[in-house]
Amino acid sequence: MPKAKIYLADLTHNGLVLSSNVFPLSIGLVGAYLLDKKPDEVSLELFKYPEDLSQALETEVPDIVGFANYSWNYDLARQYAKTIKKLWPETVIVFGGPNYGLTDEEIAAFWKRNPDIDFHVAREGEEAFCLLLDALVAADFDVAKIKTQRQEIGNIHYAIGDEIIQGPLLPRLNLEDVPSPYLMGLMDKFFDENLGPMIHTTRGCPFSCAFCTEGTKYYNLVSQREGQLEAEMTYISERVRGPRDLYISDANFGMFKQDYEKARIIAQCQEKYNYPKYVHVSTGKNQKERVVDIVKSLNGAVSMAASLQSTDATVLANVARSNISVDKLSEAGKMANTNATGTYSELILGLPGDSIAAHKQSLRDTVEMDFDNIRMYQLIMLPQTVLNTPDNRVKYDMRTKHRIMPRSFGRYALAGEEIVSVESEEILVSNSTLPFDDYVTCREMDLTIEILHNGKVFAEVQGLCKAYGLSWFDFIMRFFDRRREFSDDITKMYDDFRVGTSDRLWDSAEELGDNVRRDIDRMLVDERGTNEMSTGKATAFFVLFDQMNTVIFSVLEDWLADLGKLDDLASAYLKELQRFSRIRKQALLSEKADYNESFSFDMEKAEKNSFQILPEQLSINSAQIYSLTHNSVQRELIENYADEFGDSFDGLGKLLMRYPHIHRLFRKPVAAA
């Protein structure tokens, strides 16, 4: 009997910038499990880029095409499915992933919108896909026969008219039983200049957050994966060609005792292969002392997270969120920062019970806990989350709109057929406690935090505020309250952001899709992209930096004057620090741009003390020439990120948003002999 030919695709849009720049781990795991269980029955290939899938389909049509169904590639997958069914109707189309739904109402709506999909895998997919393949082989790949018999297949859903057949829920897998797709060679084709390897060492999450796809009871049991990690990390480290980043899909890395050994393996690769330089992973929500210890062992490659989402007690109760105390989080953040380890927190605007006052307090709390970066998200109504159910929408008077997902649209071709696709996400824009106008004001507040605080772009001012005993958050709010008073350019930046936040919204995904398809030619050449936060930050840093730098220092000067702290020495230091701040960041991505400048204050000492030092402690007797240059580590990073993100405006914005420690690229002062 010939082998079943299977294509598995976890597609990414790839216009000016890749929308998803990681290896397709999910389909790799499904593929590895299939080959392990049915080595003589299956022939399969994995796909990430749409053009590669099109070329393969035009060369040989498989028996099954399986698509990973995530929010960032759902429409691309369904448009391919529609075209495949038009060209080759006998090909079986299978979807699988979290972008599906929990309630019967949500599931029925999915099937009504997607008549070209034959089956959807709900929950874990490895064993379910094997069972589905058995049923298809037994039916000679006759989908109608399976449906007519109303076969119930574990974790498999399908539609017969308006009726939805839902197979029984399969037990959770032991992750040690899933072979590594890397060690099987399935991922070799993805070691290119663009994609970053992704691995997982756990699956599941013990928490029950209502806004998260892993917050349901099904995923509460955490399964560990240890046995294959060392061989897998060695395999990856010896082959990685593009970004020197590693992505780990775990929900709580560092929280479990097994993570000590995992961190040891990763640190061993850092020492032997100089990889990974940076690890993208969500660290644990509890056991913060253990998390800090593990994070420190990875040489600054991991940022320690405190995923607060909100610090308001009512909001947290509404979303079944249990956080450790603010004091413990603050202490953990300070512990992590002592070893040049980055820290970040996450907030979600618009959770039930949120308000402008609650959101501002959450921002204050996280800034004053000294987290390097605050990732501020809007509430996305994700399928397969408790918060997205119809009952909760009514309970909290959730009003939503649809927006274009950043960088997630494009035009593709398959066998002479044009495919135009755009991904959208449904976001909350108001609820019973957060009117729309307040929501927009909160978003402008978030932009201000993104520009002034994240990435330590203005560490000089932040440090000096602390040296004077002033609240850095209060300084940010002083700027925010006057944001439309400084210059026409800064006003326009905020106005453009407000337009992007308020106007580029649609009532439905269908309306959004129709609009994009009419405008696709312009969108594909517009380097500014569709992410208003990214665009605003890139504008502030790459276009208006001189203005912003001048304004920021003038706000501090005015504040010190109001407090009676602005003497002649402080005034002179502010002027020199403003110049120093400008020079060390200008032409940032030009590794050949070095500067020699004279200063009357000890800038090396200031920088080594994170600028948390008073002017009188820095004054020197005679002017000193300082060389402001990039060191070898910085030059390597600049080269790598220039290759990864390119020089388009959208790419530069993505760099600032994705690389949370941009201050590590700022030129260092070295006193001339």
Side-chain angles (χ1 to χ4, degrees), residues 451-483:
I451 292 172
L452 270 62
H453 178 77
N454 284 359
K456 296 185 178 179
V457 172
F458 292 102
E460 301 87 355
V461 178
Q462 182 178 355
L464 197 52
C465 281
K466 291 183 178 181
Y468 278 110
L470 304 177
S471 164
W472 171 233
F473 184 78
D474 285 345
F475 174 86
I476 293 171
M477 287 300 101
R478 287 176 75 90
F479 175 92
F480 174 75
D481 291 340
R482 297 171 54 194
R483 63 194 180 280

PDB file of all heavy atoms in Angstrom, residues 451-483:
ATOM      1  N   ILE A 451       7.500  54.869  24.652  1.00  0.00           N
ATOM      2  CA  ILE A 451       8.530  55.760  24.120  1.00  0.00           C
ATOM      3  C   ILE A 451       9.551  56.150  25.186  1.00  0.00           C
ATOM      4  O   ILE A 451      10.768  56.106  24.947  1.00  0.00           O
ATOM      5  CB  ILE A 451       7.889  57.032  23.517  1.00  0.00           C
ATOM      6  CG1 ILE A 451       7.086  56.675  22.258  1.00  0.00           C
ATOM      7  CG2 ILE A 451       8.951  58.077  23.182  1.00  0.00           C
ATOM      8  CD1 ILE A 451       6.265  57.838  21.724  1.00  0.00           C
ATOM      9  N   LEU A 452       9.081  56.527  26.364  1.00  0.00           N
ATOM     10  CA  LEU A 452       9.977  57.085  27.377  1.00  0.00           C
ATOM     11  C   LEU A 452      10.623  56.027  28.262  1.00  0.00           C
ATOM     12  O   LEU A 452      11.780  56.180  28.670  1.00  0.00           O
ATOM     13  CB  LEU A 452       9.220  58.087  28.270  1.00  0.00           C
ATOM     14  CG  LEU A 452       9.221  59.550  27.805  1.00  0.00           C
ATOM     15  CD1 LEU A 452       8.549  59.721  26.460  1.00  0.00           C
ATOM     16  CD2 LEU A 452       8.538  60.432  28.857  1.00  0.00           C
ATOM     17  N   HIS A 453       9.881  54.958  28.565  1.00  0.00           N
ATOM     18  CA  HIS A 453      10.365  53.996  29.570  1.00  0.00           C
ATOM     19  C   HIS A 453      10.974  52.738  28.957  1.00  0.00           C
ATOM     20  O   HIS A 453      12.079  52.333  29.343  1.00  0.00           O
ATOM     21  CB  HIS A 453       9.212  53.602  30.497  1.00  0.00           C
ATOM     22  CG  HIS A 453       9.599  52.599  31.530  1.00  0.00           C
ATOM     23  ND1 HIS A 453      10.315  52.932  32.662  1.00  0.00           N
ATOM     24  CD2 HIS A 453       9.392  51.249  31.606  1.00  0.00           C
ATOM     25  CE1 HIS A 453      10.535  51.851  33.387  1.00  0.00           C
ATOM     26  NE2 HIS A 453       9.983  50.810  32.766  1.00  0.00           N
ATOM     27  N   ASN A 454      10.267  52.113  28.031  1.00  0.00           N
ATOM     28  CA  ASN A 454      10.710  50.811  27.529  1.00  0.00           C
ATOM     29  C   ASN A 454      12.027  50.917  26.779  1.00  0.00           C
ATOM     30  O   ASN A 454      12.251  51.838  26.005  1.00  0.00           O
ATOM     31  CB  ASN A 454       9.638  50.198  26.630  1.00  0.00           C
ATOM     32  CG  ASN A 454       8.485  49.629  27.432  1.00  0.00           C
ATOM     33  OD1 ASN A 454       8.474  49.660  28.655  1.00  0.00           O
ATOM     34  ND2 ASN A 454       7.490  49.099  26.741  1.00  0.00           N
ATOM     35  N   GLY A 455      12.886  49.930  27.006  1.00  0.00           N
ATOM     36  CA  GLY A 455      14.182  49.921  26.352  1.00  0.00           C
ATOM     37  C   GLY A 455      15.179  50.880  26.967  1.00  0.00           C
ATOM     38  O   GLY A 455      16.287  51.038  26.465  1.00  0.00           O
ATOM     39  N   LYS A 456      14.806  51.545  28.075  1.00  0.00           N
ATOM     40  CA  LYS A 456      15.691  52.506  28.749  1.00  0.00           C
ATOM     41  C   LYS A 456      16.249  53.544  27.778  1.00  0.00           C
ATOM     42  O   LYS A 456      17.416  53.929  27.856  1.00  0.00           O
ATOM     43  CB  LYS A 456      16.835  51.780  29.460  1.00  0.00           C
ATOM     44  CG  LYS A 456      16.390  50.876  30.594  1.00  0.00           C
ATOM     45  CD  LYS A 456      17.581  50.284  31.323  1.00  0.00           C
ATOM     46  CE  LYS A 456      17.137  49.416  32.499  1.00  0.00           C
ATOM     47  NZ  LYS A 456      18.276  48.812  33.218  1.00  0.00           N
ATOM     48  N   VAL A 457      15.383  53.991  26.868  1.00  0.00           N
ATOM     49  CA  VAL A 457      15.823  54.957  25.862  1.00  0.00           C
ATOM     50  C   VAL A 457      16.271  56.259  26.514  1.00  0.00           C
ATOM     51  O   VAL A 457      17.209  56.914  26.049  1.00  0.00           O
ATOM     52  CB  VAL A 457      14.697  55.208  24.832  1.00  0.00           C
ATOM     53  CG1 VAL A 457      15.064  56.348  23.897  1.00  0.00           C
ATOM     54  CG2 VAL A 457      14.427  53.933  24.034  1.00  0.00           C
ATOM     55  N   PHE A 458      15.609  56.633  27.593  1.00  0.00           N
ATOM     56  CA  PHE A 458      15.989  57.859  28.297  1.00  0.00           C
ATOM     57  C   PHE A 458      16.480  57.520  29.708  1.00  0.00           C
ATOM     58  O   PHE A 458      16.072  58.130  30.694  1.00  0.00           O
ATOM     59  CB  PHE A 458      14.818  58.839  28.322  1.00  0.00           C
ATOM     60  CG  PHE A 458      14.476  59.382  26.964  1.00  0.00           C
ATOM     61  CD1 PHE A 458      13.383  58.896  26.261  1.00  0.00           C
ATOM     62  CD2 PHE A 458      15.269  60.350  26.367  1.00  0.00           C
ATOM     63  CE1 PHE A 458      13.079  59.380  25.000  1.00  0.00           C
ATOM     64  CE2 PHE A 458      14.979  60.833  25.109  1.00  0.00           C
ATOM     65  CZ  PHE A 458      13.881  60.355  24.416  1.00  0.00           C
ATOM     66  N   ALA A 459      17.400  56.553  29.764  1.00  0.00           N
ATOM     67  CA  ALA A 459      17.952  56.131  31.051  1.00  0.00           C
ATOM     68  C   ALA A 459      18.647  57.274  31.771  1.00  0.00           C
ATOM     69  O   ALA A 459      18.686  57.301  33.013  1.00  0.00           O
ATOM     70  CB  ALA A 459      18.933  54.976  30.837  1.00  0.00           C
ATOM     71  N   GLU A 460      19.208  58.234  31.012  1.00  0.00           N
ATOM     72  CA  GLU A 460      19.907  59.370  31.633  1.00  0.00           C
ATOM     73  C   GLU A 460      18.945  60.179  32.513  1.00  0.00           C
ATOM     74  O   GLU A 460      19.272  60.543  33.649  1.00  0.00           O
ATOM     75  CB  GLU A 460      20.520  60.267  30.556  1.00  0.00           C
ATOM     76  CG  GLU A 460      21.509  59.574  29.640  1.00  0.00           C
ATOM     77  CD  GLU A 460      20.855  58.901  28.429  1.00  0.00           C
ATOM     78  OE1 GLU A 460      19.597  58.899  28.351  1.00  0.00           O
ATOM     79  OE2 GLU A 460      21.584  58.380  27.579  1.00  0.00           O
ATOM     80  N   VAL A 461      17.758  60.444  31.973  1.00  0.00           N
ATOM     81  CA  VAL A 461      16.772  61.226  32.719  1.00  0.00           C
ATOM     82  C   VAL A 461      16.159  60.381  33.834  1.00  0.00           C
ATOM     83  O   VAL A 461      15.948  60.857  34.960  1.00  0.00           O
ATOM     84  CB  VAL A 461      15.685  61.766  31.768  1.00  0.00           C
ATOM     85  CG1 VAL A 461      14.621  62.536  32.539  1.00  0.00           C
ATOM     86  CG2 VAL A 461      16.309  62.660  30.705  1.00  0.00           C
ATOM     87  N   GLN A 462      15.881  59.116  33.531  1.00  0.00           N
ATOM     88  CA  GLN A 462      15.329  58.221  34.544  1.00  0.00           C
ATOM     89  C   GLN A 462      16.267  58.119  35.741  1.00  0.00           C
ATOM     90  O   GLN A 462      15.845  58.215  36.901  1.00  0.00           O
ATOM     91  CB  GLN A 462      15.091  56.837  33.938  1.00  0.00           C
ATOM     92  CG  GLN A 462      14.474  55.836  34.895  1.00  0.00           C
ATOM     93  CD  GLN A 462      14.212  54.489  34.235  1.00  0.00           C
ATOM     94  OE1 GLN A 462      14.416  54.327  33.028  1.00  0.00           O
ATOM     95  NE2 GLN A 462      13.764  53.518  35.007  1.00  0.00           N
ATOM     96  N   GLY A 463      17.560  57.946  35.465  1.00  0.00           N
ATOM     97  CA  GLY A 463      18.532  57.842  36.544  1.00  0.00           C
ATOM     98  C   GLY A 463      18.652  59.116  37.347  1.00  0.00           C
ATOM     99  O   GLY A 463      18.746  59.086  38.584  1.00  0.00           O
ATOM    100  N   LEU A 464      18.637  60.258  36.677  1.00  0.00           N
ATOM    101  CA  LEU A 464      18.776  61.529  37.380  1.00  0.00           C
ATOM    102  C   LEU A 464      17.552  61.808  38.251  1.00  0.00           C
ATOM    103  O   LEU A 464      17.667  62.368  39.346  1.00  0.00           O
ATOM    104  CB  LEU A 464      19.000  62.663  36.374  1.00  0.00           C
ATOM    105  CG  LEU A 464      19.558  63.976  36.938  1.00  0.00           C
ATOM    106  CD1 LEU A 464      20.807  63.746  37.769  1.00  0.00           C
ATOM    107  CD2 LEU A 464      19.834  64.964  35.806  1.00  0.00           C
ATOM    108  N   CYS A 465      16.367  61.424  37.751  1.00  0.00           N
ATOM    109  CA  CYS A 465      15.168  61.549  38.604  1.00  0.00           C
ATOM    110  C   CYS A 465      15.362  60.777  39.902  1.00  0.00           C
ATOM    111  O   CYS A 465      15.070  61.287  40.998  1.00  0.00           O
ATOM    112  CB  CYS A 465      13.938  61.025  37.860  1.00  0.00           C
ATOM    113  SG  CYS A 465      13.236  62.165  36.643  1.00  0.00           S
ATOM    114  N   LYS A 466      15.866  59.552  39.799  1.00  0.00           N
ATOM    115  CA  LYS A 466      16.076  58.748  40.998  1.00  0.00           C
ATOM    116  C   LYS A 466      17.132  59.376  41.901  1.00  0.00           C
ATOM    117  O   LYS A 466      17.015  59.345  43.134  1.00  0.00           O
ATOM    118  CB  LYS A 466      16.471  57.324  40.604  1.00  0.00           C
ATOM    119  CG  LYS A 466      15.340  56.539  39.950  1.00  0.00           C
ATOM    120  CD  LYS A 466      15.752  55.113  39.636  1.00  0.00           C
ATOM    121  CE  LYS A 466      14.598  54.333  39.020  1.00  0.00           C
ATOM    122  NZ  LYS A 466      14.961  52.925  38.726  1.00  0.00           N
ATOM    123  N   ALA A 467      18.178  59.945  41.300  1.00  0.00           N
ATOM    124  CA  ALA A 467      19.229  60.580  42.099  1.00  0.00           C
ATOM    125  C   ALA A 467      18.676  61.739  42.914  1.00  0.00           C
ATOM    126  O   ALA A 467      19.115  61.987  44.046  1.00  0.00           O
ATOM    127  CB  ALA A 467      20.357  61.059  41.183  1.00  0.00           C
ATOM    128  N   TYR A 468      17.698  62.438  42.359  1.00  0.00           N
ATOM    129  CA  TYR A 468      17.080  63.557  43.063  1.00  0.00           C
ATOM    130  C   TYR A 468      15.894  63.123  43.937  1.00  0.00           C
ATOM    131  O   TYR A 468      15.229  63.954  44.549  1.00  0.00           O
ATOM    132  CB  TYR A 468      16.601  64.611  42.061  1.00  0.00           C
ATOM    133  CG  TYR A 468      17.694  65.560  41.594  1.00  0.00           C
ATOM    134  CD1 TYR A 468      18.175  65.497  40.297  1.00  0.00           C
ATOM    135  CD2 TYR A 468      18.228  66.510  42.460  1.00  0.00           C
ATOM    136  CE1 TYR A 468      19.167  66.365  39.857  1.00  0.00           C
ATOM    137  CE2 TYR A 468      19.219  67.393  42.027  1.00  0.00           C
ATOM    138  CZ  TYR A 468      19.684  67.311  40.722  1.00  0.00           C
ATOM    139  OH  TYR A 468      20.662  68.176  40.303  1.00  0.00           O
ATOM    140  N   GLY A 469      15.616  61.822  43.976  1.00  0.00           N
ATOM    141  CA  GLY A 469      14.508  61.335  44.785  1.00  0.00           C
ATOM    142  C   GLY A 469      13.148  61.620  44.183  1.00  0.00           C
ATOM    143  O   GLY A 469      12.144  61.696  44.909  1.00  0.00           O
ATOM    144  N   LEU A 470      13.084  61.750  42.867  1.00  0.00           N
ATOM    145  CA  LEU A 470      11.835  62.062  42.175  1.00  0.00           C
ATOM    146  C   LEU A 470      11.255  60.805  41.525  1.00  0.00           C
ATOM    147  O   LEU A 470      11.997  59.906  41.108  1.00  0.00           O
ATOM    148  CB  LEU A 470      12.070  63.128  41.102  1.00  0.00           C
ATOM    149  CG  LEU A 470      12.698  64.439  41.584  1.00  0.00           C
ATOM    150  CD1 LEU A 470      12.942  65.372  40.396  1.00  0.00           C
ATOM    151  CD2 LEU A 470      11.815  65.115  42.622  1.00  0.00           C
ATOM    152  N   SER A 471       9.945  60.759  41.422  1.00  0.00           N
ATOM    153  CA  SER A 471       9.274  59.620  40.802  1.00  0.00           C
ATOM    154  C   SER A 471       9.420  59.676  39.285  1.00  0.00           C
ATOM    155  O   SER A 471       9.002  60.642  38.647  1.00  0.00           O
ATOM    156  CB  SER A 471       7.791  59.615  41.172  1.00  0.00           C
ATOM    157  OG  SER A 471       7.057  58.771  40.309  1.00  0.00           O
ATOM    158  N   TRP A 472       9.994  58.623  38.711  1.00  0.00           N
ATOM    159  CA  TRP A 472      10.126  58.529  37.259  1.00  0.00           C
ATOM    160  C   TRP A 472       8.742  58.476  36.604  1.00  0.00           C
ATOM    161  O   TRP A 472       8.518  59.067  35.559  1.00  0.00           O
ATOM    162  CB  TRP A 472      10.963  57.313  36.913  1.00  0.00           C
ATOM    163  CG  TRP A 472      11.055  56.921  35.466  1.00  0.00           C
ATOM    164  CD1 TRP A 472      10.789  55.690  34.947  1.00  0.00           C
ATOM    165  CD2 TRP A 472      11.469  57.730  34.350  1.00  0.00           C
ATOM    166  NE1 TRP A 472      10.999  55.674  33.590  1.00  0.00           N
ATOM    167  CE2 TRP A 472      11.428  56.920  33.193  1.00  0.00           C
ATOM    168  CE3 TRP A 472      11.868  59.046  34.219  1.00  0.00           C
ATOM    169  CZ2 TRP A 472      11.761  57.387  31.925  1.00  0.00           C
ATOM    170  CZ3 TRP A 472      12.207  59.525  32.945  1.00  0.00           C
ATOM    171  CH2 TRP A 472      12.154  58.712  31.815  1.00  0.00           C
ATOM    172  N   PHE A 473       7.803  57.795  37.236  1.00  0.00           N
ATOM    173  CA  PHE A 473       6.454  57.737  36.663  1.00  0.00           C
ATOM    174  C   PHE A 473       5.811  59.120  36.674  1.00  0.00           C
ATOM    175  O   PHE A 473       5.147  59.504  35.710  1.00  0.00           O
ATOM    176  CB  PHE A 473       5.571  56.749  37.417  1.00  0.00           C
ATOM    177  CG  PHE A 473       4.199  56.588  36.808  1.00  0.00           C
ATOM    178  CD1 PHE A 473       4.019  55.811  35.677  1.00  0.00           C
ATOM    179  CD2 PHE A 473       3.095  57.240  37.347  1.00  0.00           C
ATOM    180  CE1 PHE A 473       2.766  55.669  35.097  1.00  0.00           C
ATOM    181  CE2 PHE A 473       1.836  57.106  36.774  1.00  0.00           C
ATOM    182  CZ  PHE A 473       1.669  56.318  35.638  1.00  0.00           C
ATOM    183  N   ASP A 474       6.000  59.880  37.749  1.00  0.00           N
ATOM    184  CA  ASP A 474       5.459  61.243  37.779  1.00  0.00           C
ATOM    185  C   ASP A 474       6.077  62.087  36.673  1.00  0.00           C
ATOM    186  O   ASP A 474       5.394  62.929  36.063  1.00  0.00           O
ATOM    187  CB  ASP A 474       5.711  61.891  39.141  1.00  0.00           C
ATOM    188  CG  ASP A 474       4.786  61.346  40.220  1.00  0.00           C
ATOM    189  OD1 ASP A 474       3.777  60.700  39.864  1.00  0.00           O
ATOM    190  OD2 ASP A 474       5.084  61.559  41.410  1.00  0.00           O
ATOM    191  N   PHE A 475       7.367  61.873  36.399  1.00  0.00           N
ATOM    192  CA  PHE A 475       7.995  62.595  35.288  1.00  0.00           C
ATOM    193  C   PHE A 475       7.320  62.233  33.968  1.00  0.00           C
ATOM    194  O   PHE A 475       7.008  63.106  33.149  1.00  0.00           O
ATOM    195  CB  PHE A 475       9.488  62.267  35.207  1.00  0.00           C
ATOM    196  CG  PHE A 475      10.155  62.869  34.006  1.00  0.00           C
ATOM    197  CD1 PHE A 475      10.650  64.161  34.035  1.00  0.00           C
ATOM    198  CD2 PHE A 475      10.255  62.155  32.807  1.00  0.00           C
ATOM    199  CE1 PHE A 475      11.238  64.733  32.912  1.00  0.00           C
ATOM    200  CE2 PHE A 475      10.835  62.708  31.684  1.00  0.00           C
ATOM    201  CZ  PHE A 475      11.324  64.005  31.736  1.00  0.00           C
ATOM    202  N   ILE A 476       7.086  60.939  33.761  1.00  0.00           N
ATOM    203  CA  ILE A 476       6.435  60.504  32.523  1.00  0.00           C
ATOM    204  C   ILE A 476       5.067  61.162  32.383  1.00  0.00           C
ATOM    205  O   ILE A 476       4.672  61.607  31.298  1.00  0.00           O
ATOM    206  CB  ILE A 476       6.322  58.966  32.494  1.00  0.00           C
ATOM    207  CG1 ILE A 476       7.719  58.330  32.389  1.00  0.00           C
ATOM    208  CG2 ILE A 476       5.451  58.504  31.316  1.00  0.00           C
ATOM    209  CD1 ILE A 476       7.718  56.824  32.568  1.00  0.00           C
ATOM    210  N   MET A 477       4.335  61.248  33.480  1.00  0.00           N
ATOM    211  CA  MET A 477       3.010  61.863  33.433  1.00  0.00           C
ATOM    212  C   MET A 477       3.088  63.374  33.201  1.00  0.00           C
ATOM    213  O   MET A 477       2.186  63.954  32.585  1.00  0.00           O
ATOM    214  CB  MET A 477       2.257  61.569  34.730  1.00  0.00           C
ATOM    215  CG  MET A 477       1.768  60.131  34.852  1.00  0.00           C
ATOM    216  SD  MET A 477       0.603  59.619  33.537  1.00  0.00           S
ATOM    217  CE  MET A 477       1.700  58.674  32.464  1.00  0.00           C
ATOM    218  N   ARG A 478       4.154  64.021  33.675  1.00  0.00           N
ATOM    219  CA  ARG A 478       4.335  65.445  33.372  1.00  0.00           C
ATOM    220  C   ARG A 478       4.478  65.640  31.862  1.00  0.00           C
ATOM    221  O   ARG A 478       3.924  66.573  31.278  1.00  0.00           O
ATOM    222  CB  ARG A 478       5.565  66.002  34.097  1.00  0.00           C
ATOM    223  CG  ARG A 478       5.372  66.190  35.595  1.00  0.00           C
ATOM    224  CD  ARG A 478       6.650  66.657  36.266  1.00  0.00           C
ATOM    225  NE  ARG A 478       6.916  68.068  35.991  1.00  0.00           N
ATOM    226  CZ  ARG A 478       6.491  69.080  36.736  1.00  0.00           C
ATOM    227  NH1 ARG A 478       5.767  68.836  37.834  1.00  0.00           N
ATOM    228  NH2 ARG A 478       6.796  70.322  36.429  1.00  0.00           N
ATOM    229  N   PHE A 479       5.245  64.759  31.235  1.00  0.00           N
ATOM    230  CA  PHE A 479       5.365  64.805  29.774  1.00  0.00           C
ATOM    231  C   PHE A 479       4.021  64.500  29.123  1.00  0.00           C
ATOM    232  O   PHE A 479       3.588  65.195  28.192  1.00  0.00           O
ATOM    233  CB  PHE A 479       6.421  63.818  29.293  1.00  0.00           C
ATOM    234  CG  PHE A 479       6.525  63.721  27.793  1.00  0.00           C
ATOM    235  CD1 PHE A 479       7.405  64.519  27.090  1.00  0.00           C
ATOM    236  CD2 PHE A 479       5.720  62.839  27.075  1.00  0.00           C
ATOM    237  CE1 PHE A 479       7.494  64.445  25.703  1.00  0.00           C
ATOM    238  CE2 PHE A 479       5.783  62.762  25.693  1.00  0.00           C
ATOM    239  CZ  PHE A 479       6.681  63.566  25.011  1.00  0.00           C
ATOM    240  N   PHE A 480       3.360  63.450  29.602  1.00  0.00           N
ATOM    241  CA  PHE A 480       2.092  63.019  29.004  1.00  0.00           C
ATOM    242  C   PHE A 480       1.049  64.134  29.050  1.00  0.00           C
ATOM    243  O   PHE A 480       0.346  64.378  28.060  1.00  0.00           O
ATOM    244  CB  PHE A 480       1.574  61.780  29.739  1.00  0.00           C
ATOM    245  CG  PHE A 480       0.213  61.327  29.294  1.00  0.00           C
ATOM    246  CD1 PHE A 480       0.049  60.671  28.086  1.00  0.00           C
ATOM    247  CD2 PHE A 480      -0.907  61.564  30.081  1.00  0.00           C
ATOM    248  CE1 PHE A 480      -1.206  60.250  27.663  1.00  0.00           C
ATOM    249  CE2 PHE A 480      -2.165  61.150  29.669  1.00  0.00           C
ATOM    250  CZ  PHE A 480      -2.316  60.494  28.460  1.00  0.00           C
ATOM    251  N   ASP A 481       0.946  64.819  30.173  1.00  0.00           N
ATOM    252  CA  ASP A 481      -0.065  65.867  30.319  1.00  0.00           C
ATOM    253  C   ASP A 481       0.163  67.029  29.353  1.00  0.00           C
ATOM    254  O   ASP A 481      -0.786  67.741  28.995  1.00  0.00           O
ATOM    255  CB  ASP A 481      -0.074  66.390  31.758  1.00  0.00           C
ATOM    256  CG  ASP A 481      -0.608  65.356  32.748  1.00  0.00           C
ATOM    257  OD1 ASP A 481      -1.297  64.419  32.304  1.00  0.00           O
ATOM    258  OD2 ASP A 481      -0.321  65.488  33.950  1.00  0.00           O
ATOM    259  N   ARG A 482       1.401  67.207  28.884  1.00  0.00           N
ATOM    260  CA  ARG A 482       1.728  68.317  27.975  1.00  0.00           C
ATOM    261  C   ARG A 482       2.057  67.825  26.563  1.00  0.00           C
ATOM    262  O   ARG A 482       2.605  68.572  25.755  1.00  0.00           O
ATOM    263  CB  ARG A 482       2.920  69.095  28.527  1.00  0.00           C
ATOM    264  CG  ARG A 482       2.685  69.774  29.864  1.00  0.00           C
ATOM    265  CD  ARG A 482       3.980  70.343  30.440  1.00  0.00           C
ATOM    266  NE  ARG A 482       4.653  71.236  29.493  1.00  0.00           N
ATOM    267  CZ  ARG A 482       5.918  71.638  29.631  1.00  0.00           C
ATOM    268  NH1 ARG A 482       6.649  71.211  30.655  1.00  0.00           N
ATOM    269  NH2 ARG A 482       6.454  72.440  28.741  1.00  0.00           N
ATOM    270  N   ARG A 483       1.726  66.584  26.250  1.00  0.00           N
ATOM    271  CA  ARG A 483       2.209  65.944  25.027  1.00  0.00           C
ATOM    272  C   ARG A 483       1.863  66.681  23.748  1.00  0.00           C
ATOM    273  O   ARG A 483       2.552  66.529  22.735  1.00  0.00           O
ATOM    274  CB  ARG A 483       1.695  64.504  24.961  1.00  0.00           C
ATOM    275  CG  ARG A 483       0.165  64.373  24.874  1.00  0.00           C
ATOM    276  CD  ARG A 483      -0.270  62.950  25.149  1.00  0.00           C
ATOM    277  NE  ARG A 483      -1.712  62.754  25.076  1.00  0.00           N
ATOM    278  CZ  ARG A 483      -2.559  63.062  26.057  1.00  0.00           C
ATOM    279  NH1 ARG A 483      -2.120  63.617  27.173  1.00  0.00           N
ATOM    280  NH2 ARG A 483      -3.865  62.834  25.913  1.00  0.00           N
TER     281      ARG A 483
END
